[in-house]
Amino acid sequence: MTQLLWPPPPSSSLSASMGEQTLSQTHTSPSSSPSPSSSTAPPIISPSDPPSSSSSAASKIPFRPRKIRKVSSDGDDSNKPPPPPAKLPIRYLPRPLSADGEVASALRHLRAVDPHLARIIETHEPPVFNTPHPPFHSLARSILYQQLAFKAAASIYTRFISLCGGEDSVVPEAVLALSPHQLRQIGVSARKASYLHDLARKYHTGILSDASIVSMDDKSLFSMLTMVKGIGAWSVHMFMIFSLHRPDVLPVGDLGVRKGVQMLYGLEDVPRPSQMDSFCERWKPYRSVGAWYMWRLVESKGSTAAVTASNGAGTQAITSGGMGAGALQQAQLIDPIQMLPNLG
């Protein structure tokens, strides 16, 4: 049997690398003998502690704080590049109807998808879309013409132009400078004056601008313009068709367009606004041109087509003959902004 010696012979401490701790055995004198009550294993102390350190210090094991790094189950992701930023959807604006060849493309499409409409197209000249005024001017004019007969609205508009200092001077700053009293003197009601000022303020504060209006898609434009006091869905649809020349706008609330759809398909009743999308689905993406021909269809029938419109105060029967005097007296009024060539 091999005899074990205690305490073991002195041994040199193991060197530490990269801050790792190395444990060394305790040196004891040959005269000391282990107490029966003490632990059979020698105490563990740090190599940096002096040999004369107390037993309480020797019982503590100092540790250097270490960083804990999480390692995913899929492997080390530290070298992976960060994910690319989310891409916003790109919205492409369709070509305006005033672009070269766009009306011709619309007519080819409408003839191919709707034989009923093809017959109407053959009997009328193609539409022409021109824009003599910037968006702010056109919107201000739209407000002035609301709920007025054409001649009365044209007279007020002419005085409004003079009050601003000319057609080129119809800008937000000029409109804001006009007091409600000045506008009242030229025939603009207090309510319409507040509409004009609200439009001008939204331009002045940067909520709207001619550049942003031109660059917005149809849905965003509809949401932004209906925030302006006095500009509703019908006015926005007219503005989009006849000022911005957007090709796929269906004014579902326009009584003339609804009456035209009734006549085109031989319906018993004038379709409701909620039904217009289904009737005109095949016209996409040129529903603006289809709507233009509905006005022409109603106009061509003259006094034989009677339209019933509600003006909020009651119901009145209106003949669509001429589409100028009659239709402009509807509750919604066909807005004369760049509308049919013979309006008024």
Side-chain angles (χ1 to χ4, degrees):
M1 178 179 296
T2 304
Q3 184 178 2
L4 298 177
L5 299 179
W6 184 265
S11 62
S12 60
S13 301
L14 299 177
S15 59
S17 62
M18 299 299 290
E20 295 291 336
Q21 293 180 345
T22 305
L23 303 180
S24 64
Q25 293 179 335
T26 308
H27 295 274
T28 58
S29 61
S31 60
S32 62
S33 60
S35 172
S37 61
S38 63
S39 173
T40 58
I44 301 175
I45 62 174
S46 171
S48 59
D49 290 340
S52 60
S53 59
S54 63
S55 60
S56 61
S59 64
K60 296 181 180 180
I61 304 175
F63 287 99
R64 180 178 296 177
R66 298 181 182 180
K67 294 181 178 179
I68 300 176
R69 184 179 64 185
K70 288 186 177 181
V71 180
S72 65
S73 59
D74 296 335
D76 190 2
D77 295 336
S78 59
N79 296 325
K80 290 185 178 181
K87 293 183 179 180
L88 296 176
I90 300 176
R91 295 176 177 177
Y92 296 96
L93 292 179
R95 296 183 71 213
L97 292 170
S98 53
D100 292 340
E102 197 61 22
V103 170
S105 298
L107 297 183
R108 284 194 300 270
H109 171 77
L110 294 175
R111 286 191 187 102
V113 300
D114 193 339
H116 298 279
L117 185 56
R119 291 191 290 269
I120 306 303
I121 292 173
E122 296 303 324
T123 59
H124 295 89
E125 293 293 324
V128 177
F129 296 90
N130 296 315
T131 304
H133 303 302
F136 177 81
H137 188 139
S138 296
L139 290 169
R141 183 181 179 185
S142 173
I143 292 173
L144 290 172
Y145 271 86
Q146 288 176 2
Q147 303 297 321
L148 293 177
F150 181 79
K151 289 184 178 180
S155 176
I156 293 174
Y157 172 71
T158 301
R159 294 195 292 268
F160 174 76
I161 294 296
S162 300
L163 191 61
C164 289
E167 287 196 351
D168 294 337
S169 299
V170 181
V171 294
E173 293 75 16
V175 174
L176 284 174
L178 299 176
S179 67
H181 178 69
Q182 288 176 295
L183 292 170
R184 187 72 186 93
Q185 286 182 325
I186 64 171
V188 179
S189 66
R191 184 168 59 178
K192 283 190 178 181
S194 70
Y195 296 165
L196 291 171
H197 285 156
D198 186 62
L199 172 65
R201 275 193 298 270
K202 284 181 169 55
Y203 263 78
H204 184 70
T205 56
I207 297 175
L208 293 174
S209 68
D210 285 352
S212 66
I213 285 176
V214 172
S215 62
M216 286 182 197
D217 62 271
D218 292 353
K219 185 176 181 180
S220 301
L221 182 60
F222 185 90
S223 299
M224 292 299 293
L225 290 184
T226 50
M227 291 171 56
V228 180
K229 294 179 181 179
I231 296 182
W234 182 84
S235 295
V236 175
H237 287 155
M238 297 299 104
F239 172 75
M240 291 168 70
I241 295 175
F242 297 107
S243 288
L244 301 183
H245 309 152
R246 297 291 173 90
D248 195 34
V249 179
L250 180 64
V252 296
D254 184 89
L255 192 56
V257 176
R258 292 162 55 201
K259 181 64 181 177
V261 170
Q262 180 196 17
M263 297 166 63
L264 181 68
Y265 298 122
L267 305 176
E268 291 185 3
D269 301 314
V270 176
R272 298 187 300 273
S274 60
Q275 297 175 311
M276 289 292 290
D277 279 324
S278 59
F279 281 117
C280 306
E281 176 71 22
R282 69 185 76 179
W283 297 353
K284 289 182 176 180
Y286 294 108
R287 291 180 295 177
S288 298
V289 179
W292 190 91
Y293 277 102
M294 294 303 96
W295 284 310
R296 282 304 197 191
L297 175 60
V298 174
E299 178 191 22
S300 67
K301 298 301 180 180
S303 59
T304 60
V307 179
T308 300
S310 173
N311 61 6
T315 302
Q316 56 183 6
I318 304 170
T319 60
S320 60
M323 196 59 184
L328 282 169
Q329 292 173 4
Q330 294 180 13
Q332 293 177 312
L333 303 183
I334 299 300
D335 197 322
I337 299 180
Q338 321 315 323
M339 279 220 43
L340 306 180
N342 65 348
L343 267 182

